[in-house]
Amino acid sequence: MSTALLIGFAAACLLGLLPPQLLDPDWQWRFSGLLIDNGPVAVVAFGLLHLAAYVDAQNDRLQRRLAALGPWAAAAALGFLLLIPLQGLAVARGLSTASLQSSRQLRQVDSTLNQLRQDIQAAPDAATLQRRLPPSLASAIGPVALQQPLPQLRAQVLALVDQAQQRSSARLGGGVNPAALWPVIQRSLRVLLIAPAYAAAFAAMVFKPGAELSRLDIFLRSCSRLRLRPWRLGSTAKNANSSYLRSISSRNQQE
């Protein structure tokens, strides 16, 4: 079962990530998503292998396989931890690309509308002006408005162009659409919450040769010692001061 699950995990990840595009934010998104989605398969596969080696402790083949896959478990723990900065990089690049695309589209729209203004100003008659208009503006004017004198018609068309430019600025000038940010935040939080849990699960299955404590146990004990060390130092200093004061007091009494 462990071997079958590991093959399924490797196949799902490798086939889903081809062709590799390491600098593409979309590929980075897909990479993180595939590992998070298929992470439980790998965790269960390694757990079943540890369980089999524990139940059948005399099986040398299982023990050798467990020892051979130990470095891969350590690499998996490190890889899931590295998903956190990778996700941050993908989010930053994705937002930057979206902002640049919005700015580029806004510049293109402004350039098109400025050229349209020049064509409207240079039109000698209403028929020529109508031919130079895009279908959206031509339908907005209507046949009745075309009967107006050319200055009035030109002013009305220019007002419609100004309104179109204002709508484009409101749609593209604000950068990234806030409605599109929630899926990005949701996927990022998913990686930030799940990746450390998978990393801890793999670290719990990594042992040094002959050691009884896993990498996770060693890390947790180190954190506990670091957390308790200031209190121990404080109590030691306090005890040393108390002993010093008691020695001075006893010396004074003897004198």
Side-chain angles (χ1 to χ4, degrees):
M1 291 174 63
S2 174
T3 303
L5 290 175
L6 285 176
I7 293 174
F9 172 78
C13 291
L14 290 177
L15 295 178
L17 295 175
L18 294 177
Q21 298 173 344
L22 301 181
L23 299 180
D24 186 4
D26 292 334
W27 186 89
Q28 294 174 355
W29 279 107
R30 192 165 72 251
F31 177 77
S32 301
L34 280 173
L35 289 183
I36 292 298
D37 292 339
N38 295 284
V41 178
V43 171
V44 173
F46 275 90
L48 288 175
L49 181 59
H50 275 270
L51 180 61
Y54 175 78
V55 172
D56 194 2
Q58 305 302 322
N59 192 325
D60 294 335
R61 181 175 61 86
L62 283 177
Q63 301 300 329
R64 288 194 303 269
R65 182 177 299 179
L66 185 61
L69 289 178
W72 289 98
L78 179 61
F80 276 106
L81 287 179
L82 290 178
L83 283 183
I84 298 174
L86 178 65
Q87 185 71 17
L89 181 62
V91 170
R93 286 188 173 180
L95 294 179
S96 177
T97 302
S99 180
L100 289 176
Q101 289 178 352
S102 298
S103 301
R104 190 180 301 113
Q105 291 176 0
L106 184 59
R107 287 195 299 269
Q108 292 175 353
V109 170
D110 290 341
S111 177
T112 302
L113 293 179
N114 290 332
Q115 183 61 42
L116 181 59
R117 286 192 182 92
Q118 296 177 6
D119 294 339
I120 293 171
Q121 294 287 355
D125 51 44
T128 305
L129 189 150
Q130 185 182 15
R131 286 195 301 271
R132 294 179 177 179
L133 293 178
S136 58
L137 287 179
S139 60
I141 293 175
V144 178
L146 295 175
Q147 306 302 322
Q148 301 179 94
L150 184 59
Q152 296 180 6
L153 177 60
R154 184 179 289 122
Q156 183 178 356
V157 175
L158 288 175
L160 292 176
V161 173
D162 292 337
Q163 293 177 5
Q165 189 170 20
Q166 291 175 1
R167 289 194 297 269
S168 300
S169 299
R171 181 171 56 89
L172 300 173
V176 183
N177 186 6
L181 286 178
W182 172 241
V184 175
I185 296 174
Q186 191 175 24
R187 284 187 293 181
S188 301
L189 288 177
R190 182 168 175 262
V191 173
L192 293 178
L193 293 176
I194 297 177
Y198 290 164
F202 280 107
M205 293 182 284
V206 179
F207 293 83
K208 288 183 178 181
E212 295 183 357
L213 296 178
S214 66
R215 294 285 187 180
L216 181 63
D217 293 328
I218 295 173
F219 173 75
L220 293 177
R221 291 196 176 192
S222 299
C223 292
S224 299
R225 285 196 295 268
L226 290 175
R227 187 172 63 251
L228 296 175
R229 187 172 297 171
W231 297 99
R232 290 178 179 176
L233 290 175
S235 61
T236 302
K238 186 184 296 184
N239 292 334
N241 291 333
S242 300
S243 300
Y244 178 71
L245 291 176
R246 284 197 299 271
S247 65
I248 293 177
S249 177
S250 61
R251 188 183 305 167
N252 293 333
Q253 290 178 359
Q254 291 176 1
E255 292 177 356

